[in-house]
Every structure is written in C-alpha cells, then in structure tokens.
Amino acid sequence: MKIKRAKQYKKLMHHFRHLGFREPYQVLLDSQILEDAYRTKIDLVSRLEGVLQGKVKPMVTQCDMRRLYSSKNSQLIELAKKFERRRCGHHELDEPLSSLECISSVVDPKENQTNKHRLIVASQDLRVRARMRTIAGCPLIYINKSVMIMEPMNTATEEQREQEERNKFRLGLKGQRNPAPPKRKRDNEDSADDGDNIEGQATEDARPQKKKKRKGPKEPNPLSIKKPKKETPSEGNTKPRSADAKPSHSAAVESNDATAEVEGSGHRKRKRKHKPKGDGEGDSAANVDGEAVVA
C-alpha cells in the first residue's frame, strides 16, 4: 500500500511541476498541524520530503505563530521557530486572524482563484482545505492517524491543466497548417548572372549583404619577390653574375660579342677582338686564333 501511494504522489507532483512548482517546495503550515505533529512525534521535514519527493521549505504565517505563543508550549514554539516566517501583514492587529482567513489571504491575495506564489498548504483544518480546493493549482497535505497524506488533484486544477493542454494542441496544429515561409535574401552582385531574384521583391532582412569573394589565382605579394641584381660591367673589373639573377638585355648582347675567360689566378682576362675591315693579311696571320691578350 505504501509503494502504491508513493507512485500516486510522484504522478501528482509531475503534474504540478508542469504548473510551475519547483524545488525547494514552499509548504505553508498552520498551527494545528504543528500541534498534531508534536503530539505524535512526527518529523515534519522528512515526512514532507517523502510525500513531495523533493526538498521542501516549511513556512509559518505570523498569525499562526502568535497563536502558538498563546499556547505557552515552549518546545512547540522552539520547533516552529526553526521554520521560515511568512509575512501576512496582520501583525499590527490586536488579535491574530484565523488560519482560514490568514492562509487564504497569503495563497490568493487578489481572490482570483489562482495560486500565485506556488504554495503547498499543509493544514488540519477542514475549512482551510475546503477553501483551498476552490483554488487552481494548490496541493493539500494533512495528517491522518500519524500518516501524512496528500490529497488528489482538485477539480479546479484539473480544469486548468486540461485547458493548458488544449491550448498547446491548438498552437501545434496552427503551426502545422500555416508554416512560416522561409526567408529569402537578395544578393545584389549575383542578381544579373543567376536571375534568381525578381526586381521589386522586398526582402525581410534589410541588413547589408556581404560581398562574395571571387575565386581564382592570386597574385604573389610584391614584397616577397626577390628583385634581380643590376650588373655594371667594366673593362678592368667585372663581377661574376649570381646563379639566380636573370641576364639583362645589354649583358646578353655583350655575351654574344665577347666571352670572358679567366686565366691563371683570375686577374688576367682575355677578350675577343674582331677583325677590322681593310686590314692586311699580316694582321690575320698574326692573329691566328683571333684573340688578343688584354692586360
């Protein structure tokens, strides 16, 4: 029987969590349930956590606390002081209000039959529980023969839950029948080539579009290219060209006319001397190889 009751409480709290109840659950205690728990030696906090299956935060109104002070039970007063004090605004009155009037003003201050602060009421007063059953989304707990019991969901709460389920179902059907059209963006650069966008059609996104980068070979960075070295050849001293440097036009012409050859240690160079026109046979015979040594 205990396992069956625990499953029922778990199912009830599952429905109440859909209505906005969160841990730690705020449990509003009246003076009568505190007196019964003290008389039967029941640990209220552990029993409430077992019924609600979660952390709880017990609370006592100012009117019920004043009523406990009038009983002059020191141990019961010390027990009630451990719980949080719930302000009801009736502390300025000469006499505390009854549990029915005080708890009703805390749970439903505007009297619109709604549990605004998501409070759970634990009371032994039959009138209090009868009044709380008319408020939607208000769980009720009481003690019966040393057993803590949670009442099933009242009619107002069931109607509220069914109304919320119908609203969700209608919203789901409405979203399926009228799906939102996909957003279409207009690209100014590719509109002429593709022809996908129609002139005069307004787009939902009015933000400026980013320009698309064209794909293709990229030119090298001019700062990373090695510049060719310029050669200044002279008759007396000519520097050898580097292997990487490309020959200039003047160097190519000069190479066609004369070739430099290093002789010995490299200090003396021979240069080809062309045969001048009109010279005799002696000159041609003297220069058999057609080369002259230039100092």
Side-chain angles (χ1 to χ4, degrees):
M1 189 68 180
K2 186 176 181 180
I3 298 175
K4 183 178 179 181
R5 193 162 53 239
K7 289 182 178 180
Q8 293 177 353
Y9 296 160
K10 184 177 181 180
K11 186 176 181 180
L12 277 175
M13 293 310 301
H14 176 73
H15 292 307
F16 282 118
R17 277 192 291 269
H18 282 290
L19 298 177
F21 286 82
R22 296 290 181 270
E23 294 185 31
Y25 302 115
Q26 301 181 19
V27 183
L28 195 61
L29 306 172
D30 66 345
S31 58
Q32 291 186 16
I33 197 170
L34 289 172
E35 292 175 358
D36 291 352
Y38 174 75
R39 186 177 62 256
T40 54
K41 298 180 181 180
I42 292 176
D43 187 1
L44 277 175
V45 177
S46 61
R47 290 289 186 92
L48 288 172
E49 289 179 352
V51 171
L52 301 177
Q53 299 183 7
K55 298 294 181 180
V56 298
K57 183 167 68 172
M59 308 170 71
V60 183
T61 62
Q62 293 173 332
C63 293
D64 285 321
M65 197 67 193
R66 291 172 64 184
R67 198 173 293 107
L68 291 175
Y69 275 115
S70 62
S71 65
K72 298 181 180 181
N73 190 341
S74 60
Q75 295 181 356
L76 181 59
I77 293 172
E78 292 297 328
L79 175 65
K81 282 182 178 181
K82 297 179 182 179
F83 304 143
E84 184 177 342
R85 192 73 55 87
R86 179 72 184 189
R87 295 182 180 179
C88 58
H90 307 146
H91 60 281
E92 297 180 355
L93 301 177
D94 296 335
E95 294 293 333
L97 296 180
S98 62
S99 298
L100 174 62
E101 296 174 346
C102 184
I103 293 177
S104 299
S105 63
V106 172
V107 175
D108 188 13
K110 296 183 179 181
E111 298 183 359
N112 52 2
Q113 309 301 321
T114 56
N115 188 4
K116 179 181 178 181
H117 303 290
R118 305 292 188 273
L119 296 173
I120 299 173
V121 178
S123 175
Q124 293 292 98
D125 194 343
L126 297 177
R127 298 179 303 166
V128 173
R129 296 207 301 270
R131 172 70 177 85
M132 294 297 110
R133 291 189 192 102
T134 60
I135 299 176
C138 183
L140 296 175
I141 296 175
Y142 65 96
I143 296 174
N144 184 16
K145 296 180 181 180
S146 302
V147 178
M148 189 166 289
I149 297 174
M150 183 178 181
E151 289 190 3
M153 193 177 296
N154 54 39
T155 306
T157 306
E158 289 181 354
E159 292 178 356
Q160 182 183 4
R161 184 172 60 87
E162 291 177 359
Q163 183 65 29
E164 290 182 357
E165 293 294 334
R166 285 195 295 266
N167 293 337
K168 292 179 181 179
F169 184 71
R170 290 173 184 174
L171 290 175
L173 291 178
K174 186 177 180 181
Q176 293 179 2
R177 292 175 182 175
N178 300 323
K183 294 183 180 180
R184 186 176 181 181
K185 298 180 180 180
R186 180 168 55 185
D187 192 353
N188 296 328
E189 292 182 359
D190 300 335
S191 59
D193 299 335
D194 300 337
D196 295 336
N197 297 324
I198 304 173
E199 294 183 357
Q201 183 179 3
T203 57
E204 296 181 2
D205 194 357
R207 293 178 293 179
Q209 303 295 330
K210 295 182 180 180
K211 294 183 179 180
K212 291 185 178 180
K213 295 182 180 180
R214 295 184 179 180
K215 296 182 179 180
K218 297 181 179 180
E219 297 180 358
N221 189 357
L223 299 177
S224 64
I225 299 175
K226 188 176 181 180
K227 297 182 179 180
K229 296 180 179 181
K230 295 182 179 180
E231 295 183 357
T232 55
S234 59
E235 295 181 358
N237 185 14
T238 58
K239 296 181 180 179
R241 294 180 303 172
S242 60
D244 298 336
K246 295 181 179 180
S248 61
H249 179 67
S250 60
V253 173
E254 185 179 353
S255 64
N256 295 331
D257 296 343
T259 58
E261 297 180 358
V262 181
E263 184 180 11
S265 62
H267 295 286
R268 296 174 62 89
K269 295 182 180 180
R270 293 191 298 176
K271 187 176 182 181
R272 178 178 293 180
K273 186 175 182 181
H274 294 278
K275 182 180 178 181
K277 294 181 180 181
D279 292 345
E281 295 178 0
D283 297 336
S284 62
N287 298 327
V288 177
D289 297 337
E291 294 180 356
V293 178
V294 179

PDB file of all heavy atoms in Angstrom, residues 23-50:
ATOM      1  N   GLU A  23      11.581  22.924  -6.881  1.00  0.00           N
ATOM      2  CA  GLU A  23      12.252  22.696  -5.600  1.00  0.00           C
ATOM      3  C   GLU A  23      13.105  23.899  -5.228  1.00  0.00           C
ATOM      4  O   GLU A  23      13.666  24.553  -6.113  1.00  0.00           O
ATOM      5  CB  GLU A  23      13.123  21.440  -5.684  1.00  0.00           C
ATOM      6  CG  GLU A  23      12.345  20.157  -5.867  1.00  0.00           C
ATOM      7  CD  GLU A  23      13.257  18.946  -5.808  1.00  0.00           C
ATOM      8  OE1 GLU A  23      14.281  19.014  -5.081  1.00  0.00           O
ATOM      9  OE2 GLU A  23      12.971  17.955  -6.484  1.00  0.00           O
ATOM     10  N   PRO A  24      13.224  24.184  -3.938  1.00  0.00           N
ATOM     11  CA  PRO A  24      12.516  23.570  -2.810  1.00  0.00           C
ATOM     12  C   PRO A  24      11.065  24.033  -2.755  1.00  0.00           C
ATOM     13  O   PRO A  24      10.770  25.217  -2.935  1.00  0.00           O
ATOM     14  CB  PRO A  24      13.312  24.062  -1.596  1.00  0.00           C
ATOM     15  CG  PRO A  24      13.904  25.356  -2.029  1.00  0.00           C
ATOM     16  CD  PRO A  24      14.166  25.234  -3.499  1.00  0.00           C
ATOM     17  N   TYR A  25      10.175  23.095  -2.512  1.00  0.00           N
ATOM     18  CA  TYR A  25       8.749  23.403  -2.475  1.00  0.00           C
ATOM     19  C   TYR A  25       8.413  24.197  -1.212  1.00  0.00           C
ATOM     20  O   TYR A  25       8.828  23.833  -0.108  1.00  0.00           O
ATOM     21  CB  TYR A  25       7.928  22.113  -2.505  1.00  0.00           C
ATOM     22  CG  TYR A  25       8.197  21.256  -3.715  1.00  0.00           C
ATOM     23  CD1 TYR A  25       8.776  19.997  -3.583  1.00  0.00           C
ATOM     24  CD2 TYR A  25       7.877  21.699  -4.999  1.00  0.00           C
ATOM     25  CE1 TYR A  25       9.015  19.206  -4.692  1.00  0.00           C
ATOM     26  CE2 TYR A  25       8.121  20.912  -6.112  1.00  0.00           C
ATOM     27  CZ  TYR A  25       8.693  19.672  -5.956  1.00  0.00           C
ATOM     28  OH  TYR A  25       8.946  18.888  -7.053  1.00  0.00           O
ATOM     29  N   GLN A  26       7.643  25.268  -1.367  1.00  0.00           N
ATOM     30  CA  GLN A  26       7.243  26.118  -0.246  1.00  0.00           C
ATOM     31  C   GLN A  26       5.959  25.538   0.365  1.00  0.00           C
ATOM     32  O   GLN A  26       4.900  25.549  -0.269  1.00  0.00           O
ATOM     33  CB  GLN A  26       7.010  27.553  -0.707  1.00  0.00           C
ATOM     34  CG  GLN A  26       8.237  28.189  -1.337  1.00  0.00           C
ATOM     35  CD  GLN A  26       7.974  29.625  -1.763  1.00  0.00           C
ATOM     36  OE1 GLN A  26       7.023  30.274  -1.309  1.00  0.00           O
ATOM     37  NE2 GLN A  26       8.824  30.129  -2.641  1.00  0.00           N
ATOM     38  N   VAL A  27       6.077  25.031   1.585  1.00  0.00           N
ATOM     39  CA  VAL A  27       4.947  24.395   2.273  1.00  0.00           C
ATOM     40  C   VAL A  27       4.498  25.324   3.390  1.00  0.00           C
ATOM     41  O   VAL A  27       5.285  25.668   4.288  1.00  0.00           O
ATOM     42  CB  VAL A  27       5.347  23.026   2.834  1.00  0.00           C
ATOM     43  CG1 VAL A  27       4.135  22.354   3.491  1.00  0.00           C
ATOM     44  CG2 VAL A  27       5.912  22.138   1.735  1.00  0.00           C
ATOM     45  N   LEU A  28       3.240  25.742   3.344  1.00  0.00           N
ATOM     46  CA  LEU A  28       2.664  26.640   4.346  1.00  0.00           C
ATOM     47  C   LEU A  28       1.978  25.801   5.423  1.00  0.00           C
ATOM     48  O   LEU A  28       1.005  25.094   5.152  1.00  0.00           O
ATOM     49  CB  LEU A  28       1.669  27.585   3.669  1.00  0.00           C
ATOM     50  CG  LEU A  28       1.233  28.810   4.472  1.00  0.00           C
ATOM     51  CD1 LEU A  28       2.433  29.700   4.800  1.00  0.00           C
ATOM     52  CD2 LEU A  28       0.200  29.610   3.674  1.00  0.00           C
ATOM     53  N   LEU A  29       2.492  25.874   6.643  1.00  0.00           N
ATOM     54  CA  LEU A  29       1.971  25.081   7.762  1.00  0.00           C
ATOM     55  C   LEU A  29       1.083  25.948   8.644  1.00  0.00           C
ATOM     56  O   LEU A  29       1.382  27.122   8.878  1.00  0.00           O
ATOM     57  CB  LEU A  29       3.127  24.525   8.598  1.00  0.00           C
ATOM     58  CG  LEU A  29       4.201  23.718   7.848  1.00  0.00           C
ATOM     59  CD1 LEU A  29       5.366  23.418   8.774  1.00  0.00           C
ATOM     60  CD2 LEU A  29       3.615  22.438   7.291  1.00  0.00           C
ATOM     61  N   ASP A  30      -0.009  25.363   9.155  1.00  0.00           N
ATOM     62  CA  ASP A  30      -0.829  26.085  10.120  1.00  0.00           C
ATOM     63  C   ASP A  30      -0.512  25.572  11.529  1.00  0.00           C
ATOM     64  O   ASP A  30       0.257  24.630  11.728  1.00  0.00           O
ATOM     65  CB  ASP A  30      -2.324  25.921   9.798  1.00  0.00           C
ATOM     66  CG  ASP A  30      -2.803  24.496   9.959  1.00  0.00           C
ATOM     67  OD1 ASP A  30      -1.946  23.586  10.048  1.00  0.00           O
ATOM     68  OD2 ASP A  30      -4.022  24.273   9.983  1.00  0.00           O
ATOM     69  N   SER A  31      -1.105  26.205  12.520  1.00  0.00           N
ATOM     70  CA  SER A  31      -0.786  25.885  13.916  1.00  0.00           C
ATOM     71  C   SER A  31      -1.298  24.500  14.317  1.00  0.00           C
ATOM     72  O   SER A  31      -0.667  23.810  15.130  1.00  0.00           O
ATOM     73  CB  SER A  31      -1.397  26.951  14.833  1.00  0.00           C
ATOM     74  OG  SER A  31      -2.804  27.032  14.642  1.00  0.00           O
ATOM     75  N   GLN A  32      -2.408  24.043  13.734  1.00  0.00           N
ATOM     76  CA  GLN A  32      -2.975  22.756  14.126  1.00  0.00           C
ATOM     77  C   GLN A  32      -2.099  21.583  13.678  1.00  0.00           C
ATOM     78  O   GLN A  32      -1.910  20.620  14.431  1.00  0.00           O
ATOM     79  CB  GLN A  32      -4.384  22.598  13.546  1.00  0.00           C
ATOM     80  CG  GLN A  32      -5.401  23.533  14.169  1.00  0.00           C
ATOM     81  CD  GLN A  32      -6.814  23.240  13.680  1.00  0.00           C
ATOM     82  OE1 GLN A  32      -7.087  22.182  13.123  1.00  0.00           O
ATOM     83  NE2 GLN A  32      -7.719  24.191  13.907  1.00  0.00           N
ATOM     84  N   ILE A  33      -1.539  21.655  12.465  1.00  0.00           N
ATOM     85  CA  ILE A  33      -0.707  20.544  12.005  1.00  0.00           C
ATOM     86  C   ILE A  33       0.626  20.509  12.771  1.00  0.00           C
ATOM     87  O   ILE A  33       1.209  19.451  12.997  1.00  0.00           O
ATOM     88  CB  ILE A  33      -0.471  20.634  10.477  1.00  0.00           C
ATOM     89  CG1 ILE A  33       0.021  19.280   9.958  1.00  0.00           C
ATOM     90  CG2 ILE A  33       0.505  21.743  10.134  1.00  0.00           C
ATOM     91  CD1 ILE A  33       0.054  19.197   8.442  1.00  0.00           C
ATOM     92  N   LEU A  34       1.078  21.676  13.239  1.00  0.00           N
ATOM     93  CA  LEU A  34       2.280  21.700  14.077  1.00  0.00           C
ATOM     94  C   LEU A  34       2.010  21.039  15.433  1.00  0.00           C
ATOM     95  O   LEU A  34       2.850  20.281  15.952  1.00  0.00           O
ATOM     96  CB  LEU A  34       2.756  23.142  14.262  1.00  0.00           C
ATOM     97  CG  LEU A  34       3.372  23.824  13.031  1.00  0.00           C
ATOM     98  CD1 LEU A  34       3.619  25.303  13.311  1.00  0.00           C
ATOM     99  CD2 LEU A  34       4.674  23.145  12.653  1.00  0.00           C
ATOM    100  N   GLU A  35       0.837  21.302  16.007  1.00  0.00           N
ATOM    101  CA  GLU A  35       0.488  20.692  17.292  1.00  0.00           C
ATOM    102  C   GLU A  35       0.312  19.178  17.154  1.00  0.00           C
ATOM    103  O   GLU A  35       0.776  18.418  18.016  1.00  0.00           O
ATOM    104  CB  GLU A  35      -0.798  21.333  17.828  1.00  0.00           C
ATOM    105  CG  GLU A  35      -0.616  22.783  18.242  1.00  0.00           C
ATOM    106  CD  GLU A  35      -1.930  23.431  18.661  1.00  0.00           C
ATOM    107  OE1 GLU A  35      -2.976  22.725  18.572  1.00  0.00           O
ATOM    108  OE2 GLU A  35      -1.923  24.607  19.070  1.00  0.00           O
ATOM    109  N   ASP A  36      -0.332  18.730  16.058  1.00  0.00           N
ATOM    110  CA  ASP A  36      -0.519  17.285  15.864  1.00  0.00           C
ATOM    111  C   ASP A  36       0.807  16.585  15.608  1.00  0.00           C
ATOM    112  O   ASP A  36       1.023  15.462  16.083  1.00  0.00           O
ATOM    113  CB  ASP A  36      -1.477  17.045  14.697  1.00  0.00           C
ATOM    114  CG  ASP A  36      -2.903  17.467  15.022  1.00  0.00           C
ATOM    115  OD1 ASP A  36      -3.158  17.788  16.201  1.00  0.00           O
ATOM    116  OD2 ASP A  36      -3.743  17.508  14.096  1.00  0.00           O
ATOM    117  N   ALA A  37       1.698  17.211  14.848  1.00  0.00           N
ATOM    118  CA  ALA A  37       3.000  16.605  14.590  1.00  0.00           C
ATOM    119  C   ALA A  37       3.818  16.523  15.873  1.00  0.00           C
ATOM    120  O   ALA A  37       4.534  15.527  16.111  1.00  0.00           O
ATOM    121  CB  ALA A  37       3.748  17.415  13.534  1.00  0.00           C
ATOM    122  N   TYR A  38       3.714  17.521  16.733  1.00  0.00           N
ATOM    123  CA  TYR A  38       4.442  17.489  18.010  1.00  0.00           C
ATOM    124  C   TYR A  38       3.862  16.423  18.931  1.00  0.00           C
ATOM    125  O   TYR A  38       4.600  15.727  19.638  1.00  0.00           O
ATOM    126  CB  TYR A  38       4.362  18.872  18.658  1.00  0.00           C
ATOM    127  CG  TYR A  38       4.956  18.916  20.042  1.00  0.00           C
ATOM    128  CD1 TYR A  38       6.331  18.913  20.236  1.00  0.00           C
ATOM    129  CD2 TYR A  38       4.106  18.957  21.169  1.00  0.00           C
ATOM    130  CE1 TYR A  38       6.862  18.937  21.516  1.00  0.00           C
ATOM    131  CE2 TYR A  38       4.645  18.996  22.440  1.00  0.00           C
ATOM    132  CZ  TYR A  38       6.017  18.987  22.616  1.00  0.00           C
ATOM    133  OH  TYR A  38       6.547  19.011  23.882  1.00  0.00           O
ATOM    134  N   ARG A  39       2.550  16.252  18.932  1.00  0.00           N
ATOM    135  CA  ARG A  39       1.910  15.270  19.811  1.00  0.00           C
ATOM    136  C   ARG A  39       2.210  13.845  19.360  1.00  0.00           C
ATOM    137  O   ARG A  39       2.433  12.963  20.194  1.00  0.00           O
ATOM    138  CB  ARG A  39       0.397  15.512  19.836  1.00  0.00           C
ATOM    139  CG  ARG A  39      -0.342  14.625  20.849  1.00  0.00           C
ATOM    140  CD  ARG A  39      -1.815  14.927  20.918  1.00  0.00           C
ATOM    141  NE  ARG A  39      -2.498  14.688  19.653  1.00  0.00           N
ATOM    142  CZ  ARG A  39      -2.893  15.648  18.810  1.00  0.00           C
ATOM    143  NH1 ARG A  39      -2.673  16.922  19.093  1.00  0.00           N
ATOM    144  NH2 ARG A  39      -3.514  15.333  17.689  1.00  0.00           N
ATOM    145  N   THR A  40       2.226  13.594  18.066  1.00  0.00           N
ATOM    146  CA  THR A  40       2.501  12.248  17.543  1.00  0.00           C
ATOM    147  C   THR A  40       3.985  12.019  17.257  1.00  0.00           C
ATOM    148  O   THR A  40       4.342  10.943  16.743  1.00  0.00           O
ATOM    149  CB  THR A  40       1.706  12.019  16.247  1.00  0.00           C
ATOM    150  OG1 THR A  40       2.001  13.071  15.318  1.00  0.00           O
ATOM    151  CG2 THR A  40       0.213  12.011  16.534  1.00  0.00           C
ATOM    152  N   LYS A  41       4.828  13.023  17.560  1.00  0.00           N
ATOM    153  CA  LYS A  41       6.277  12.910  17.382  1.00  0.00           C
ATOM    154  C   LYS A  41       6.649  12.572  15.929  1.00  0.00           C
ATOM    155  O   LYS A  41       7.373  11.619  15.639  1.00  0.00           O
ATOM    156  CB  LYS A  41       6.864  11.864  18.326  1.00  0.00           C
ATOM    157  CG  LYS A  41       6.658  12.203  19.806  1.00  0.00           C
ATOM    158  CD  LYS A  41       7.264  11.150  20.694  1.00  0.00           C
ATOM    159  CE  LYS A  41       7.031  11.506  22.183  1.00  0.00           C
ATOM    160  NZ  LYS A  41       7.627  10.478  23.074  1.00  0.00           N
ATOM    161  N   ILE A  42       6.122  13.364  15.042  1.00  0.00           N
ATOM    162  CA  ILE A  42       6.397  13.200  13.609  1.00  0.00           C
ATOM    163  C   ILE A  42       7.409  14.253  13.185  1.00  0.00           C
ATOM    164  O   ILE A  42       7.268  15.439  13.531  1.00  0.00           O
ATOM    165  CB  ILE A  42       5.095  13.340  12.783  1.00  0.00           C
ATOM    166  CG1 ILE A  42       4.163  12.169  13.061  1.00  0.00           C
ATOM    167  CG2 ILE A  42       5.405  13.410  11.290  1.00  0.00           C
ATOM    168  CD1 ILE A  42       2.824  12.275  12.360  1.00  0.00           C
ATOM    169  N   ASP A  43       8.414  13.830  12.439  1.00  0.00           N
ATOM    170  CA  ASP A  43       9.389  14.756  11.868  1.00  0.00           C
ATOM    171  C   ASP A  43       8.778  15.347  10.597  1.00  0.00           C
ATOM    172  O   ASP A  43       8.688  14.668   9.550  1.00  0.00           O
ATOM    173  CB  ASP A  43      10.699  14.033  11.555  1.00  0.00           C
ATOM    174  CG  ASP A  43      11.796  15.000  11.126  1.00  0.00           C
ATOM    175  OD1 ASP A  43      11.543  16.220  11.096  1.00  0.00           O
ATOM    176  OD2 ASP A  43      12.904  14.529  10.797  1.00  0.00           O
ATOM    177  N   LEU A  44       8.330  16.595  10.702  1.00  0.00           N
ATOM    178  CA  LEU A  44       7.599  17.199   9.592  1.00  0.00           C
ATOM    179  C   LEU A  44       8.446  17.313   8.328  1.00  0.00           C
ATOM    180  O   LEU A  44       7.971  17.023   7.216  1.00  0.00           O
ATOM    181  CB  LEU A  44       7.087  18.588  10.011  1.00  0.00           C
ATOM    182  CG  LEU A  44       5.780  18.631  10.786  1.00  0.00           C
ATOM    183  CD1 LEU A  44       5.476  20.056  11.230  1.00  0.00           C
ATOM    184  CD2 LEU A  44       4.639  18.104   9.926  1.00  0.00           C
ATOM    185  N   VAL A  45       9.679  17.730   8.458  1.00  0.00           N
ATOM    186  CA  VAL A  45      10.504  17.987   7.271  1.00  0.00           C
ATOM    187  C   VAL A  45      10.750  16.696   6.495  1.00  0.00           C
ATOM    188  O   VAL A  45      10.572  16.647   5.263  1.00  0.00           O
ATOM    189  CB  VAL A  45      11.838  18.645   7.684  1.00  0.00           C
ATOM    190  CG1 VAL A  45      12.729  18.856   6.461  1.00  0.00           C
ATOM    191  CG2 VAL A  45      11.578  19.978   8.373  1.00  0.00           C
ATOM    192  N   SER A  46      11.142  15.633   7.188  1.00  0.00           N
ATOM    193  CA  SER A  46      11.421  14.378   6.484  1.00  0.00           C
ATOM    194  C   SER A  46      10.154  13.777   5.883  1.00  0.00           C
ATOM    195  O   SER A  46      10.178  13.234   4.763  1.00  0.00           O
ATOM    196  CB  SER A  46      12.070  13.381   7.440  1.00  0.00           C
ATOM    197  OG  SER A  46      11.194  13.085   8.518  1.00  0.00           O
ATOM    198  N   ARG A  47       9.030  13.893   6.586  1.00  0.00           N
ATOM    199  CA  ARG A  47       7.772  13.351   6.054  1.00  0.00           C
ATOM    200  C   ARG A  47       7.318  14.159   4.825  1.00  0.00           C
ATOM    201  O   ARG A  47       6.846  13.575   3.846  1.00  0.00           O
ATOM    202  CB  ARG A  47       6.687  13.390   7.128  1.00  0.00           C
ATOM    203  CG  ARG A  47       6.898  12.417   8.265  1.00  0.00           C
ATOM    204  CD  ARG A  47       6.665  10.970   7.824  1.00  0.00           C
ATOM    205  NE  ARG A  47       6.728  10.049   8.952  1.00  0.00           N
ATOM    206  CZ  ARG A  47       5.674   9.678   9.661  1.00  0.00           C
ATOM    207  NH1 ARG A  47       4.468  10.173   9.385  1.00  0.00           N
ATOM    208  NH2 ARG A  47       5.813   8.824  10.663  1.00  0.00           N
ATOM    209  N   LEU A  48       7.477  15.464   4.877  1.00  0.00           N
ATOM    210  CA  LEU A  48       7.083  16.279   3.732  1.00  0.00           C
ATOM    211  C   LEU A  48       7.965  15.990   2.509  1.00  0.00           C
ATOM    212  O   LEU A  48       7.473  15.937   1.376  1.00  0.00           O
ATOM    213  CB  LEU A  48       7.169  17.762   4.099  1.00  0.00           C
ATOM    214  CG  LEU A  48       6.104  18.284   5.063  1.00  0.00           C
ATOM    215  CD1 LEU A  48       6.430  19.717   5.497  1.00  0.00           C
ATOM    216  CD2 LEU A  48       4.713  18.233   4.421  1.00  0.00           C
ATOM    217  N   GLU A  49       9.251  15.801   2.729  1.00  0.00           N
ATOM    218  CA  GLU A  49      10.139  15.478   1.611  1.00  0.00           C
ATOM    219  C   GLU A  49       9.817  14.107   1.021  1.00  0.00           C
ATOM    220  O   GLU A  49       9.940  13.900  -0.194  1.00  0.00           O
ATOM    221  CB  GLU A  49      11.595  15.519   2.077  1.00  0.00           C
ATOM    222  CG  GLU A  49      12.104  16.925   2.364  1.00  0.00           C
ATOM    223  CD  GLU A  49      13.542  16.924   2.842  1.00  0.00           C
ATOM    224  OE1 GLU A  49      14.079  15.805   3.094  1.00  0.00           O
ATOM    225  OE2 GLU A  49      14.130  18.013   2.962  1.00  0.00           O
ATOM    226  N   GLY A  50       9.378  13.168   1.872  1.00  0.00           N
ATOM    227  CA  GLY A  50       8.992  11.863   1.355  1.00  0.00           C
ATOM    228  C   GLY A  50       7.717  11.912   0.538  1.00  0.00           C
ATOM    229  O   GLY A  50       7.584  11.223  -0.471  1.00  0.00           O
TER     230      GLY A  50
END
